Amino acid sequence: MRVPILGTAAGIERYLLELGTITEFPDRAGVTRRLYTEAWQKAQIMIYELMCAAGLEAWMDEVGNVHGRLQGSSDQTILTGSHFDTVVDGGAYDGAYGIIAGIVALSELKARQVPLHRSLEVVAFSEEEGSRFPLTCWGSRALVGKIDTEAMLLCDSQGISLNDAMRSVGLNPSRAHPRRSYDYQGFVELHVEQGSQLEERRKPIGIVGTIFGQERWIVRVRGESAHAGTTRMARRHDALVAASEMVMAVYRLSQNNEAHAIATVGLLQVHHGTANCVPGHVTFTVDLRSAHDEIRRNLALQLRQDFKESGIRHGVEVVAEKHTDTAAVSMSSHLQHLTRDVAENLELDTLFLDSRAGHDAQILGREMPAGMIFVPSHQGISHHAREFTSARDLANGERVLRNVLERAANNRYSEDGGG
Ligand SMILES: [Zn+2]
């Protein structure tokens, strides 16, 4: 590992892009690093080596999270970081930025011999996106001891269980509860916005108020597979036509409630489908989000009713199974104000906004005061190869993060909780 050029805009961008070359599909645009794949493991090692090169005390934990620590005079610890898994054909900035900038920030504080009361730790979470197994925020959930041992039996689309996937990268599934060796007192996550509000309003720094709650479902629709030529319309139990109505119900619900909720069908499969058969078995996903859990619950009920009615109309069986439910979380008001003060001192304009994307801060925010800092995403493009944030915006975010961490490590720390 070359010694990093840390603390400069070029350094952050360079390491981010280098990490972005580690992907499952090098011949495709974008970055794919799903949990416990070979590419994932290569990225894990690169992050570990970067932490060591930056002079941090580095280690990997029982679920593959990578930690880099800068010891202060107390074991009380302020955490920063983000995730290094990606969606399929995602971008180089989502998640990775918060890790690289965190390493740079801690390295700078170390190089300048800034005295720290509390310790600082940057953590690269093993998984957040839910792109391989039907679970999200695996790394941050594990860090706070909030993982379900039943999750070990979950399988990816190839039928490989989480259990076996862990073993394939040398982890022991029976030890998937990392020790919480330090007294974690707060978490600050730096992330690209993944929306266009900051760019449109020309604000270099976003401060997150609430992270939307979200739930994900797998919906199974079972009708009757039949001959496409000889089966008359009245006799058909077409699972795909019924599912299509349900997709439209999701779309309309989203359209009618966009100010406070949003819903998406991102995956639909016709099982054993062929051109000359009426589809008998379809599965699809639903992703439903809102800043208000009560509103989300009501919209979910409404959707279930719509699905039921479509099922009855087409004589098909519909089972909608919820596999993820993450409550909306308010970020610590203390950390929000601290971030605004820091940005003002650096003469960087701020915008307070909510996050419609899920983040690790959502999990940690229930256990400790948490804050999120956003930098602009060009045209709001995210989860895509064209995801881009300028080197200048990347550097601004790191400066804000570094100063927030230094002040959180040394100031009297408010106990306003994560909510
Ligand atoms: Zn992310």
Side-chain angles (χ1 to χ4, degrees):
M1 171 60 57
R2 293 179 297 272
V3 176
I5 319 165
L6 295 177
T8 64
I12 299 172
E13 190 177 51
R14 181 181 139 195
Y15 280 96
L16 204 44
L17 296 181
E18 195 167 321
L19 187 58
T21 62
I22 305 177
T23 171
E24 290 175 49
F25 310 115
D27 52 338
R28 282 178 14 194
V31 188
T32 304
R33 275 197 308 265
R34 288 170 294 181
L35 181 66
Y36 304 145
T37 56
E38 217 174 289
W40 173 92
Q41 196 168 30
K42 272 192 196 158
Q44 183 202 34
I45 292 167
M46 182 190 153
I47 291 164
Y48 173 80
E49 288 179 348
L50 197 54
M51 286 176 180
C52 294
L56 306 177
E57 179 203 336
W59 73 96
M60 296 173 185
D61 71 22
E62 292 83 344
V63 294
N65 297 328
V66 194
H67 302 248
R69 188 171 172 86
L70 185 57
Q71 186 66 36
S73 50
S74 144
D75 270 352
Q76 289 185 348
T77 302
I78 306 295
L79 281 168
T80 186
S82 195
H83 59 98
F84 66 96
D85 71 316
T86 71
V87 296
V88 174
D89 299 330
Y93 298 79
D94 179 357
Y97 170 51
I99 297 168
I100 299 292
I103 297 172
V104 170
L106 266 55
S107 167
E108 277 285 297
L109 293 170
K110 185 183 165 84
R112 293 181 193 182
Q113 299 183 315
V114 174
L116 296 173
H117 170 56
R118 295 184 184 82
S119 303
L120 294 174
E121 197 173 300
V122 52
V123 54
F125 291 115
S126 57
E127 201 277 346
E128 187 264 359
E129 298 283 9
S131 52
R132 181 168 179 190
F133 297 96
L135 50 80
T136 57
C137 299
W138 172 248
S140 48
R141 283 181 208 275
L143 187 83
V144 293
K146 292 279 155 90
I147 57 173
D148 186 354
T149 41
E150 279 177 25
M152 294 299 171
L153 304 174
L154 293 172
C155 287
D156 67 7
S157 60
Q158 307 297 309
I160 299 168
S161 69
L162 181 57
N163 221 357
D164 290 344
M166 284 189 87
R167 287 184 210 284
S168 76
V169 291
L171 294 167
N172 180 348
S174 67
R175 300 182 61 226
H177 286 274
R179 268 175 310 122
R180 206 167 148 169
S181 23
Y182 296 103
D183 177 10
Y184 293 137
Q185 298 228 322
F187 175 64
V188 185
E189 182 171 6
L190 175 62
H191 204 284
V192 291
E193 184 199 343
Q194 303 178 280
S196 55
Q197 292 191 65
L198 293 176
E199 188 177 67
E200 279 163 14
R201 300 187 199 190
R202 298 177 187 279
K203 304 279 188 186
I205 296 295
I207 301 171
V208 175
T210 300
I211 302 178
F212 271 37
Q214 59 173 290
E215 58 190 87
R216 292 189 195 173
W217 307 355
I218 293 177
V219 185
R220 295 187 172 79
V221 185
R222 283 183 192 276
E224 212 171 86
S225 181
H227 195 288
T230 60
T231 317
R232 291 169 51 198
M233 295 307 284
R235 288 185 167 273
R236 290 187 180 198
H237 301 285
D238 188 325
L240 182 57
V241 171
S244 305
E245 273 189 19
M246 296 176 217
V247 173
M248 286 312 296
V250 171
Y251 179 73
R252 274 193 299 272
L253 173 126
S254 228
Q255 231 181 3
N256 296 337
N257 297 278
E258 209 187 343
H260 46 256
I262 199 140
T264 306
V265 174
L267 178 74
L268 185 146
Q269 280 176 301
V270 180
H271 300 277
H272 311 295
T274 59
N276 58 355
C277 267
V278 175
H281 184 196
V282 170
T283 55
F284 66 92
T285 57
V286 176
D287 173 304
L288 173 60
R289 302 167 189 232
S290 174
H292 310 283
D293 293 332
E294 181 75 25
I295 290 177
R296 177 164 59 87
R297 272 191 287 275
N298 287 335
L299 293 176
L301 281 177
Q302 190 185 321
L303 263 188
R304 282 181 187 278
Q305 185 59 32
D306 290 343
F307 286 8
K308 194 175 158 191
E309 286 166 13
S310 290
I312 292 169
R313 244 189 321 273
H314 295 278
V316 299
E317 185 198 13
V318 184
V319 179
E321 199 183 309
K322 181 162 74 174
H323 65 77
T324 298
D325 189 326
T326 312
V329 177
S330 301
M331 296 292 95
S332 145
S333 56
H334 171 73
L335 286 170
Q336 290 181 53
H337 294 138
L338 178 57
T339 305
R340 189 194 51 199
D341 290 352
V342 161
E344 271 175 11
N345 283 341
L346 296 170
E347 296 182 346
L348 295 168
D349 269 356
T350 56
L351 178 71
F352 284 83
L353 73 181
D354 287 337
S355 172
R356 289 173 170 238
H359 294 289
D360 294 303
Q362 202 161 6
I363 304 300
L364 271 62
R366 277 186 229 119
E367 308 292 322
M368 61 190 84
M372 273 207 91
I373 305 166
F374 278 170
V375 294
S377 293
H378 183 53
Q379 294 180 343
I381 297 169
S382 187
H383 285 183
H384 191 280
R386 284 195 291 121
E387 190 174 84
F388 176 75
T389 296
S390 72
R392 188 170 151 202
D393 284 331
L394 296 173
N396 283 337
E398 183 275 327
R399 279 161 70 212
V400 172
L401 175 70
R402 190 197 325 148
N403 284 277
V404 166
L405 291 175
E406 184 192 333
R407 283 179 53 178
N410 288 321
N411 291 0
R412 209 184 79 72
Y413 200 61
S414 149
E415 295 296 316
D416 65 349

